[in-house]
Amino acid sequence: MTAQPTGTSLWIRQFHPAPDAATRLVCLPHAGGSASYFFPVSKALSPKVDVLAIQYPGRQDRRNEKCIDSIRDLADALVPELLPWTDKPLALFGHSMGATLGFEVALRLEQKGVVPAALFASGRRAPSAHRDETVHQRDDEGLIAEVKSLSGTDSQLLGDDEILRMVLPAIRSDYKAAETYAYVPGPRLAAPIQAHVGTSDPKATVDEVRAWSEHTSGEFALHTYPGGHFYLNSQASQVIASISETLSPPPA
């Protein structure tokens, strides 16, 4: 399910506008993902939190646009789209590749004087916890096998040739962006970081995720769950509850 772009931005989707919410949450998809992945999150958090789901170029209604295969280029393109939404406290939630993108977006926002209310990093090792990965260089069959092993895309959809032609370029581009990202040491974020991970995630160990603590001068919290890279699919209610408690704490 997709929504019409908000205003003139092709990047932002508001599935459940919440104009009276005190805070906004920007949701950044995983590699090959789209804004619609966060429809349930938007529904669950509205109207307490105004959720903005991000649609990257090269998929769904943006499939005719060129994909962006660099985390930093994605961040450079996205930040100007988000600045008009910073009239309220703005938090960032990113899963997998989206967490790394969230970090780079947060850095750019802070350079402009906007400190995010929080960075929620899900299913992704810290920027400084580097791995040498080359999945994006595999042939189509190898790339499909990787995605299936992580359960990130429905296997039946991957078996449809037409769907494959549409989604493989975006998946490959996103994998390239995530795998070629290299952290450049610099100032820590002022924003607090809350990290979430499945304890059997092959793409991020608990220790690699705990290293997010090195990237903030604010508070840090680590939450672990049973499950693999897409633990979020089965543990969504717990993650959403943690986000809600952080952004909309109950009155004292």
Side-chain angles (χ1 to χ4, degrees):
M1 183 171 186
T2 58
Q4 293 299 314
T6 301
T8 59
S9 177
L10 294 173
W11 290 83
I12 296 170
R13 304 290 183 272
Q14 272 188 302
F15 298 116
H16 306 91
D20 297 327
T23 57
R24 291 195 172 103
L25 178 67
V26 177
C27 292
L28 304 161
H30 53 278
S34 59
S36 57
Y37 181 76
F38 293 107
F39 183 90
V41 176
S42 174
K43 183 177 181 180
L45 290 175
S46 179
K48 291 184 178 180
V49 178
D50 191 22
V51 176
L52 310 179
I54 300 304
Q55 187 81 306
Y56 305 142
R59 65 217 69 205
Q60 293 188 343
D61 57 332
R62 302 190 70 185
R63 62 182 177 274
N64 293 326
E65 297 180 51
K66 184 179 180 180
C67 296
I68 299 177
D69 59 7
S70 160
I71 294 291
R72 288 187 172 82
D73 289 348
L74 272 169
D76 287 342
L78 179 55
V79 166
E81 304 290 336
L82 293 178
L83 287 175
W85 298 90
T86 57
D87 57 313
K88 296 181 180 182
L90 191 75
L92 300 159
F93 177 94
H95 181 66
S96 193
M97 179 192 83
T100 305
L101 176 59
F103 173 72
E104 288 292 330
V105 168
L107 286 175
R108 285 156 176 75
L109 288 175
E110 293 195 358
Q111 289 170 358
K112 296 180 180 297
V114 179
V115 178
L119 170 61
F120 300 95
S122 169
R124 184 66 175 172
R125 58 190 179 273
S128 55
H130 178 73
R131 290 189 191 185
D132 289 322
E133 295 178 314
T134 57
V135 174
H136 72 280
Q137 296 177 358
R138 297 180 186 176
D139 61 14
D140 288 353
E141 292 302 316
L143 185 57
I144 293 168
E146 168 76 6
V147 174
K148 285 183 177 180
S149 72
L150 297 176
S151 301
T153 302
D154 188 279
S155 296
Q156 292 180 344
L157 293 181
L158 286 173
D160 185 300
D161 288 343
E162 184 177 355
I163 295 295
L164 277 177
R165 284 194 295 271
M166 288 193 295
V167 303
L168 270 184
I171 294 174
R172 188 178 301 281
S173 176
D174 289 352
Y175 264 84
K176 181 179 179 181
E179 293 180 340
T180 59
Y181 173 79
Y183 170 65
V184 177
R188 295 186 176 196
L189 290 176
I193 296 178
Q194 188 178 113
H196 299 258
V197 66
T199 54
S200 56
D201 189 341
K203 307 294 286 186
T205 67
V206 172
D207 284 342
E208 287 175 321
V209 175
R210 186 178 290 112
W212 278 99
S213 64
E214 302 168 6
H215 296 280
T216 178
S217 59
E219 295 182 357
F220 173 77
L222 174 65
H223 299 266
T224 60
Y225 308 83
H229 190 59
F230 281 91
Y231 78 93
L232 190 58
N233 292 343
S234 60
Q235 305 292 328
S237 60
Q238 291 92 322
V239 178
I240 291 170
S242 180
I243 294 172
S244 179
E245 183 177 349
T246 301
L247 299 182
S248 302

